[in-house]
Amino acid sequence: MSEQKLAAELRTEFGKGYARRARMANLIPAVIYGHGAEPIHVTLPAKATTLAVRTANALLSLDINGEGHLALVKDIQRDPVKQIIEHIDLLTVRQGEKVTVDVPVHVEGETAPGTVHNLELTVVSLEAEATHLPTAVVVNVEGRAAGEHIHASDLVLPKGSILLTDAESLVVNISEAVEIAEEGEAAAEGAAEQAPAAEAEAAE
């Protein structure tokens, strides 16, 4: 994953009132911490930052008053209704440093005819270089038959990554599509049987 370059500004104000003013000025409050140093409070440009953090574990190259800081996005707080970013927590990292991240699992391919895949684990924990973090772990289910299982130990990890999730964890389960169809038919039949009884009660 390539780093995203952003200009940041130091801030000395805090609290909800300041955060509201910052957002009105198209700025996002953020804090940088890590390596035992004192937290650095900054603001980031809203539009550029929103674009930069669309991928998981985004790596940001920050220019703070001419001084460079490499930071990994660890947490994003969003407005529950508008979904705009309200605050970001950043972790200072160094070139070559290993960090622990949760990486999303993406499924590719088509299972055998008459089957479906069920994604049981949406993310896996990996240890990887901070400057070479994978954006996803891809699972190929092409031609997989019903009854097959893909565990964390079966995943093909990006180069330089180490699996931290339990190797026995079930990631993808392949099952027959017929079972799902039968369940839907049974539910529909049950609803149809209940309808006359409900109509009779309403008429009484």
Side-chain angles (χ1 to χ4, degrees):
M1 180 195 307
S2 60
E3 57 197 63
Q4 305 290 321
K5 296 182 179 181
L6 296 173
E9 297 180 3
L10 290 172
R11 63 185 173 95
T12 56
E13 294 184 75
F14 310 94
K16 292 183 178 180
Y18 168 76
R20 187 163 48 249
R21 293 195 302 275
R23 288 193 292 273
M24 290 179 64
N26 293 316
L27 297 172
I28 298 174
V31 61
I32 309 169
Y33 61 92
H35 293 163
E38 287 292 321
I40 303 174
H41 298 273
V42 298
T43 55
L44 303 172
K47 184 176 180 180
T49 302
T50 300
L51 292 174
V53 303
R54 286 183 300 177
T55 56
N57 306 308
L59 185 64
L60 306 182
S61 176
L62 304 178
D63 181 336
I64 307 176
N65 294 340
E67 183 177 332
H69 286 264
L70 200 59
L72 180 67
V73 176
K74 293 301 291 182
D75 188 53
I76 299 176
Q77 290 93 53
R78 297 179 185 272
D79 181 283
V81 178
K82 299 179 181 179
Q83 288 299 301
I84 60 173
I85 299 176
E86 295 187 327
H87 188 273
I88 298 179
D89 289 340
L90 302 168
L91 176 66
T92 294
V93 295
R94 300 190 180 102
Q95 292 282 347
E97 179 181 0
K98 294 276 190 175
V99 295
T100 299
V101 291
D102 288 335
V103 180
V105 177
H106 289 176
V107 178
E108 289 185 351
E110 295 289 337
T111 55
T115 66
V116 293
H117 76 267
N118 303 295
L119 184 60
E120 307 290 346
L121 198 63
T122 57
V123 298
V124 291
S125 294
L126 303 179
E127 182 182 81
E129 282 192 23
T131 51
H132 294 88
L133 294 177
T135 56
V137 172
V138 178
V139 181
N140 194 316
V141 298
E142 187 66 36
R144 293 274 188 168
E148 290 195 51
H149 302 87
I150 300 174
H151 295 89
S153 58
D154 300 319
L155 298 176
V156 177
L157 301 180
K159 185 178 179 180
S161 299
I162 298 173
L163 180 69
L164 299 181
T165 294
D166 185 349
E168 295 304 313
S169 297
L170 179 61
V171 180
V172 180
N173 174 43
I174 314 301
S175 60
E176 292 185 8
V178 177
E179 296 177 0
I180 297 176
E182 288 177 349
E183 290 177 4
E185 289 173 3
E189 288 175 3
E193 291 174 358
Q194 292 176 6
E199 291 174 359
E201 289 180 3
E204 292 177 358

